[in-house]
């Protein structure tokens, strides 16, 4: 059969192309444009080449923020992924319990991010906060505005509370999609519950877990609103993550050139790590006997 | 190896069920000999998978008990019952190789490595899987996957029975035949008790020595394939087995003449005698193969109108109307068929009589 061809079909993808152009391609090109120029004001700009990239890559404070960011994202993944899987495994499979736990889990995901910051500021206040005051009453001093460690603990608690449900919901969906026959066959084969997890549930969750890891990595690597509301990047610079530092440069100091160069590097790091995670998860568990 | 006895089994998926409609399985009382090949045949939802899962221990019956070799195993979990089960869709452990899959039930039972290797190689040899052993289990074709599922059952030396739950559903037609032969071969070689659940009569009749027809949670008839064909004990069995199913015509008995809306069909004296004690609602049943279609009037034949003719390749199926009742006849490919009108004759030895859906049988005969 002859293939029917008509180039007018391209018009059908035009709307998508226009949307993508305005939402991604044009802003990205603008950023690239900024990153190679020194901008003094409207109409006053000088081409500087790779100058800003050199400056940004040599910035000590940026290095510190980058390591802080890796530590944060690493901890987020190490805590949220296993915790999410455990929650999904213990959730009821059917009946009212299943619906109730799904709704309860989804609640934190429905709250606006800056509101979450505010909730946790109050929750952890050493004088009136339920959590902060209780800890202080127990004799441990706890103040996220004064101690870096306390600020990190608060931030991690908030992050885990906010986003573990997403991982749990994804893992739960993955678990529910496993046909009953797998569990029946495993019973007949005499498999232990660990074997069932290791050889049936975990491999079958590969797809959803890949999504969960990628989403949690990207989101936590981009975190801005919560630490901005909760600690403003402090105490000192202890919770100044990449995006907070970036906003300080771009909006606070109005250094558009360095900020643009910074953004591009930021973008490339996320792209690289997402790709690495994706490759690792796609190949995990495929080489064994 | 085991003889399986099911004693008064009933099962409901609801708690505290009392009404018969609540039961997926109403009352099954059967014994299966060691080493036999059995098939459970019935339409979807008739309770055959429920019964299979009760035997394997995946379900505990609401009522009744299961005995293996005289021992009550009703409360035992599947892993302690020495049964293997093959499911409708192949179940594979994707992250393992074919070898790992076959070895899995043995590893779970702590068998030593050397013995595992030996058993797996033996089973792989029987199932023609030797060349696949080192491959990943994912990405193989459906028939190989189903053979691996079967292999996981065979690999245990202590296995008493293998239960199949419609194992050929996802297999291509040309491979079905091959796999069915393989099953027969394995059965002859290993002398295991095989229980095979299917809704496909061809599969059931070619595979099993004894076929149990189930409908609505009840076992309607258990017997050899030819019994089910020649003497269906229930109208449903008549419909369900044979292609097309048995013809049933409601009739009124007058001596040894059955009157079907005025047409007279002669019965054998022995058949007519059975009806004496039976109720009013009588039907005669005859298989389409036994119905004779003639182009012109023969002694004892009855006129009928031809509605349509389906050519099935090696035979033809003729649909006829006999005094408002529809009949089907299966006739040889080369026999000429008249255009509109045909004459039917009913061989007296092949006519069965049914009262209220049940076959009338001579007293004392089984």
């Amino acid at each position: 059969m002859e293939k029917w061809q008509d180039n007018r079909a391209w018009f059908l993808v035009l709307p998508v192309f226009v949307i993508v152009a305005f939402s991604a391609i044009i802003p990205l090109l603008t950023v690239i444009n900024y990153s190679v120029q020194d901008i003094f004001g409207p109409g006053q700009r000088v081409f500087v080449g790779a100058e800003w990239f050199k400056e940004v890559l040599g910035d000590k404070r940026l290095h510190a923020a980058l390591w802080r960011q890796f530590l944060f994202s690493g901890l987020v993944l190490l805590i949220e992924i296993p915790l999410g899987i455990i929650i999904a495994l213990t959730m009821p499979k059917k009946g009212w319990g299943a619906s109730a736990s799904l709704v309860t889990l989804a609640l934190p995901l429905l709250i606006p991010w800056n509101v979450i910051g505010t909730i946790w500021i109050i929750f952890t206040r050493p004088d009136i906060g339920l959590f902060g005051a209780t800890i202080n009453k127990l004799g441990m001093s706890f103040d996220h505005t004064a101690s870096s460690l306390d600020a990190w603990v608060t931030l991690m608690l908030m992050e885990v509370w906010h986003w573990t449900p997403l991982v749990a919901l994804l893992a739960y969906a993955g678990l529910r999609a496993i046909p009953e026959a797998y569990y029946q066959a495993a019973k007949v084969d005499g498999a232990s519950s660990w074997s069932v997890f290791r050889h049936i549930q975990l491999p079958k969750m590969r797809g959803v877990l890949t999504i969960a890891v990628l989403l949690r990595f990207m989101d936590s690597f981009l975190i801005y609103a919560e630490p901005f509301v909760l600690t403003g990047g402090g105490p000192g610079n202890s919770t100044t993550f990449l995006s907070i530092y970036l906003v300080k440069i771009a909006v606070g100091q109005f250094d558009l050139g360095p900020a643009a160069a910074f953004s591009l590097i930021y973008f490339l790091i996320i792209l690289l790590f997402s790709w690495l995670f994706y490759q690792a998860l796609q190949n995990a568990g495929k080489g064994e006997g | 190896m085991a003889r399986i006895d099911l004693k008064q089994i009933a099962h409901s998926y609801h708690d505290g069920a009392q009404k018969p409609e609540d039961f997926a399985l109403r009352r099954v009382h059967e014994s299966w000999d060691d080493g036999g090949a059995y098939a459970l045949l019935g339409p979807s939802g008739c309770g055959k998978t429920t019964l299979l899962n009760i035997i394997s221990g995946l379900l505990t019956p609401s009522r009744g008990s299961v005995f293996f070799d005289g021992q009550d195993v009703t409360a035992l979990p599947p892993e302690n019952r020495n049964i293997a089960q093959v499911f409708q869709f192949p179940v594979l452990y994707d992250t393992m190789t074919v070898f790992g899959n076959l070895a899995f039930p043995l590893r779970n039972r702590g068998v030593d490595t050397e013995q595992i290797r030996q058993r797996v190689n033996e089973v792989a040899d029987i199932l023609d899987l030797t060349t696949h052993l080192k491959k990943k289990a994912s990405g193989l074709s459906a028939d190989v996957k189903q053979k691996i599922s079967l292999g996981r059952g065979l690999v245990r030396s202590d296995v008493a029975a293998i239960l199949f739950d419609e194992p050929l559903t996802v297999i291509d037609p040309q491979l079905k035949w091959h796999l069915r032969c393989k099953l027969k071969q394995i059965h002859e070689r290993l002398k295991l008790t095989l229980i095979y659940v299917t809704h496909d009569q061809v599969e059931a009749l070619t595979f099993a020595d004894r076929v149990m027809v189930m409908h609505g949670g009840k076992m309607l008839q258990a017997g050899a394939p030819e019994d089910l064909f020649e003497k269906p004990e229930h109208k449903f069995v008549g419909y369900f087995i044979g292609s097309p199913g048995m013809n049933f015509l409601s009739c009124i008995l007058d001596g040894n003449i059955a009157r079907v809306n005025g047409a007279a069909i002669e019965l054998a004296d022995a058949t007519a005698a059975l009806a004496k004690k039976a109720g009013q609602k009588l039907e005669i049943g005859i298989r389409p193969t036994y119905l004779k279609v003639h182009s012109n009037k023969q002694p004892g034949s009855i006129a009928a109108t031809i509605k349509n003719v389906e050519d099935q390749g090696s035979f033809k199926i003729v649909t006829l109307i006999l005094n408002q009742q529809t009949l089907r006849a299966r006739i040889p490919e080369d026999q000429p068929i008249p255009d509109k009108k045909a004459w039917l004759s009913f061989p007296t030895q092949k006519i069965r009589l049914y009262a209220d859906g049940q076959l009338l049988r001579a007293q004392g005969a089984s």
Side-chain angles (χ1 to χ4, degrees):
Chain A
M1 207 171 69
E2 229 10 65
K3 254 194 185 164
W4 187 75
Q5 282 199 344
D6 189 338
N7 282 329
R8 281 176 300 180
W10 285 105
F11 283 110
L12 296 175
V13 292
L14 196 64
V16 174
F17 181 77
V18 170
I19 292 168
V20 173
F22 277 95
S23 71
I25 300 172
I26 294 172
L28 186 66
L29 290 177
T30 317
V31 171
I32 293 173
N33 189 27
Y34 286 170
S35 72
V36 290
Q37 298 186 74
D38 196 350
I39 299 167
F40 303 108
Q44 283 182 290
R45 49 186 68 187
V46 183
F47 181 76
V48 293
E51 187 73 24
W52 298 135
F53 286 92
K54 282 182 202 150
E55 187 187 306
V56 165
L57 286 173
D59 184 348
K60 288 275 186 317
R61 285 197 295 165
L62 184 124
H63 292 171
L66 183 64
W67 290 125
R68 223 172 274 137
Q69 189 72 67
F70 275 121
L71 180 65
F72 182 73
S73 288
L75 283 173
V76 162
L77 289 180
L78 281 177
I79 297 171
E80 290 181 9
I81 300 294
L83 190 60
I85 293 174
I86 291 170
I87 292 173
L89 285 171
T90 48
M91 273 165 72
K93 290 175 183 63
K94 52 187 171 194
W96 66 269
S99 324
S101 47
L102 283 175
V103 171
T104 314
L105 272 179
L107 277 180
L109 301 171
L110 301 174
I111 304 171
W113 299 355
N114 49 352
V115 175
I116 287 197
T118 315
I119 292 174
W120 279 77
I121 286 185
I122 299 168
F123 186 52
T124 53
R125 269 180 69 144
D127 50 353
I128 56 162
L130 184 63
F131 179 77
T134 312
I135 294 283
N136 278 299
K137 285 240 173 64
L138 290 173
M140 284 173 280
S141 91
F142 184 90
D143 186 356
H144 65 75
T145 56
S147 147
S148 319
L149 181 68
D150 292 354
W152 268 76
V153 168
T154 311
L155 210 54
M156 283 313 300
L157 279 176
M158 178 175 74
E159 169 66 29
V160 167
W161 170 81
H162 190 183
W163 288 111
T164 306
L166 178 76
V167 180
L169 289 178
L170 283 168
Y172 186 73
L175 284 174
R176 292 285 72 75
I178 301 174
E180 191 54 29
Y182 278 85
Y183 296 110
Q184 296 181 329
K187 264 194 211 165
V188 172
D189 289 338
S192 61
S193 40
W194 166 250
S195 284
V196 170
F197 176 71
R198 172 69 190 78
H199 297 295
I200 297 173
Q201 292 171 324
L202 202 53
K204 294 277 167 204
M205 282 195 289
R206 183 200 303 275
V208 289
L209 287 183
T210 305
I211 294 171
V213 167
L214 289 180
L215 280 179
R216 285 323 304 134
F217 169 73
M218 286 188 280
D219 263 4
S220 64
F221 213 78
L222 297 172
I223 191 163
Y224 177 76
E226 296 94 325
F228 180 76
V229 174
L230 189 73
T231 60
N237 277 329
S238 63
T239 55
T240 301
F241 297 113
L242 284 178
S243 58
I244 294 185
Y245 188 51
L246 175 61
V247 171
K248 271 183 190 163
I249 299 174
V251 183
Q253 303 163 13
F254 210 70
D255 285 337
L256 287 185
F262 186 172
S263 303
L264 286 175
I265 294 167
Y266 200 174
F267 170 64
L268 290 175
I269 291 174
I270 292 176
L271 205 61
L272 173 72
F273 275 85
S274 298
W275 182 77
L276 287 177
F277 278 125
Y278 181 77
Q279 288 302 323
L281 281 161
Q282 287 309 294
N283 296 318
K286 288 207 172 160
E288 59 197 86
Chain B
M1 307 284 146
R3 171 193 163 80
I4 299 169
D5 295 290
L6 302 176
K7 300 210 167 145
Q8 311 284 3
I9 296 277
H11 187 75
S12 169
Y13 289 100
H14 313 285
D15 291 330
Q18 290 302 330
K19 285 179 290 178
E21 309 84 77
D22 291 340
F23 282 84
L25 213 52
R26 298 214 183 154
R27 194 197 79 99
V28 175
H29 192 81
E30 277 290 327
S31 288
W32 288 329
D33 289 331
D34 184 15
Y38 299 95
L40 290 172
L41 178 65
S44 301
C46 71
K48 54 196 194 304
T49 297
T50 305
L51 185 59
L52 201 70
N53 287 345
I54 284 172
I55 297 170
S56 66
L58 290 169
L59 278 176
T60 308
S62 312
R63 290 174 199 168
S65 15
V66 183
F67 290 82
F68 283 11
D69 277 337
Q71 220 184 340
D72 190 346
V73 295
T74 319
L76 283 186
E79 61 265 32
N80 299 336
R81 286 202 187 185
N82 299 339
I83 44 89
Q85 192 166 0
V86 179
F87 298 89
Q88 187 169 2
F89 297 99
V91 173
L92 287 181
Y93 305 105
D94 298 343
T95 52
M96 300 184 205
T97 57
V98 174
F99 183 94
N101 264 277
L102 293 175
F104 190 62
L106 296 180
R107 284 185 179 151
N108 289 331
R109 287 170 173 80
V111 178
D112 72 79
T113 323
E114 181 49 32
Q115 216 178 330
I116 290 179
R117 206 183 51 78
Q118 204 184 327
R119 278 300 294 176
V120 169
N121 285 332
E122 255 176 72
V123 168
D125 187 46
I126 297 175
L127 292 170
D128 307 324
L129 288 172
T130 313
T131 50
H132 293 291
L133 277 180
K134 290 200 176 72
K135 285 187 200 161
K136 298 297 303 178
S138 52
L140 294 169
S141 62
D143 60 310
V144 177
K145 285 184 177 175
Q146 205 55 307
K147 280 205 268 187
I148 297 169
S149 309
L150 170 61
R152 280 208 314 272
L154 294 177
V155 80
R156 283 154 53 196
S157 50
D158 59 350
V159 83
I162 304 184
L163 315 181
F164 296 92
D165 191 356
E166 309 199 19
L168 302 182
T169 312
V170 293
I171 311 290
D172 288 342
Q174 61 269 44
L175 287 169
K176 267 187 188 173
W177 182 82
H178 169 77
L179 227 60
R180 215 155 53 208
C181 293
K182 200 84 216 168
L183 284 180
K184 273 246 160 200
Q185 222 177 310
I186 290 164
H187 180 235
E188 273 154 32
R189 183 162 161 183
L190 302 176
K191 301 282 174 226
L192 293 164
T193 310
L194 300 188
I195 301 170
Y196 192 102
V197 160
T198 179
H199 60 247
D200 180 342
Q201 49 166 319
V202 180
E203 257 175 47
L205 299 177
T206 53
F207 171 83
D209 311 324
R210 207 171 144 80
V211 177
M212 284 125 194
V213 182
M214 293 185 68
H215 182 55
K218 280 185 278 197
M219 207 169 266
L220 294 181
Q221 186 174 4
E226 54 270 30
D227 288 341
L228 297 180
F229 191 78
E230 295 292 345
K231 291 177 196 159
E233 279 182 27
H234 194 281
K235 268 177 78 181
F236 178 80
V237 180
Y239 281 132
F240 200 70
I241 294 198
S243 174
M246 204 167 192
N247 293 306
F248 292 97
L249 301 168
S250 29
C251 64
I252 296 161
L253 219 59
D254 179 6
N256 61 349
I257 304 286
R259 297 201 182 277
V260 179
N261 296 3
I265 297 167
E266 198 185 331
L267 302 179
D269 293 341
T271 314
L274 294 174
K276 295 269 155 59
K277 286 172 227 130
Q280 288 301 302
K281 203 172 172 279
L282 283 177
E283 281 167 289
I284 62 170
I286 185 157
R287 289 280 178 197
T289 333
Y290 298 135
L291 209 53
K292 295 264 184 310
V293 180
H294 311 287
S295 314
N296 39 42
K297 197 165 168 52
Q298 305 274 328
S301 66
I302 302 159
T305 320
I306 293 181
K307 199 176 163 203
N308 76 44
V309 179
E310 271 176 70
D311 198 328
Q312 303 265 350
S314 53
F315 57 88
K316 288 176 194 161
I317 291 169
V318 186
T319 309
L320 305 118
I321 311 282
L322 173 70
N323 293 356
Q324 286 130 41
Q325 301 204 43
T326 307
L327 279 171
R328 286 195 171 78
R330 181 170 158 155
I331 63 169
E333 180 66 16
D334 50 4
Q335 187 187 325
I337 299 167
D339 269 350
K340 275 189 176 146
K341 207 160 184 193
W343 279 265
L344 291 172
S345 53
F346 294 71
T348 46
Q349 290 309 312
K350 300 297 183 188
I351 298 175
R352 308 278 173 253
L353 263 185
Y354 290 82
D356 298 322
Q358 291 284 339
L359 176 70
L360 295 178
R361 288 185 303 186
Q363 290 295 321
S366 63

